[in-house]
Amino acid sequence: MKKLIYLLLAGTLAFASCSKDDPAPIAVGGITLDKTQLTLKLRQSETLTATVTPEDAADKTVTWESSDPKIATVDDSGKVTTMAVGSATITARAGEKSATCVVRSHRLKSAASRSTRPNLHSSPSRAKP
């Protein structure tokens, strides 16, 4: 009789554990970037940081994309590198959410070009007699 009760109890517990639905995975609620605008010199790099919420989201994978890879590229870790002068938008996506950062690239002024320009703000030197 005890064996029958134990078998019934074990069967009931097994059935109860199988019949419960697993909770639905927690969806991504949002994504933010640490910068929304970035200005870099030509061929300069900087890494953007994405934050996905909530912390316990089931899949916090972030994908990155550049609107114009000829101007700025972005790798899988969010490292942005400027390739040409101009602007591009970097988009980070997690789940169905996205965040953007506008990247502007400008030319690096060389030391040679700065030294050949006349200084219009200084007065000519005068020798004292």
Side-chain angles (χ1 to χ4, degrees), residues 1-14:
M1 182 75 155
K2 280 186 176 181
K3 287 183 184 180
L4 181 60
I5 293 174
Y6 286 126
L7 285 173
L8 287 173
L9 183 58
T12 303
L13 290 174

Side-chain angles (χ1 to χ4, degrees), residues 12-94:
T12 303
L13 290 174
F15 179 75
S17 66
C18 290
S19 66
K20 289 185 181 178
D21 292 331
D22 290 330
I26 297 172
V28 171
I31 182 171
T32 57
L33 293 175
D34 60 332
K35 296 178 176 76
T36 57
Q37 295 186 9
L38 188 59
T39 301
L40 299 172
K41 294 175 183 169
L42 186 60
R43 304 279 185 211
Q44 189 177 13
S45 297
E46 189 162 330
T47 301
L48 295 172
T49 301
T51 303
V52 178
T53 56
E55 272 190 36
D56 58 347
D59 184 3
K60 294 173 71 173
T61 303
V62 176
T63 58
W64 299 89
E65 181 182 3
S66 173
S67 65
D68 192 345
K70 292 177 184 175
I71 302 294
T73 61
V74 62
D75 68 11
D76 291 340
S77 64
K79 181 179 177 184
V80 177
T81 304
T82 57
M83 307 304 287
V85 174
S87 65
T89 301
I90 303 300
T91 303
R93 287 189 175 84

Side-chain angles (χ1 to χ4, degrees), residues 93-116:
R93 287 189 175 84
E96 307 239 345
K97 306 297 180 178
S98 64
T100 60
C101 176
V102 176
V103 178
R104 290 181 182 82
S105 172
H106 60 89
R107 247 184 237 297
L108 175 65
K109 295 178 182 177
S110 69
S113 68
R114 284 193 303 261
S115 64
T116 58

Side-chain angles (χ1 to χ4, degrees), residues 109-126:
K109 295 178 182 177
S110 69
S113 68
R114 284 193 303 261
S115 64
T116 58
R117 291 184 185 164
N119 186 350
L120 302 176
H121 299 292
S122 64
S123 57
S125 62
R126 298 181 191 172

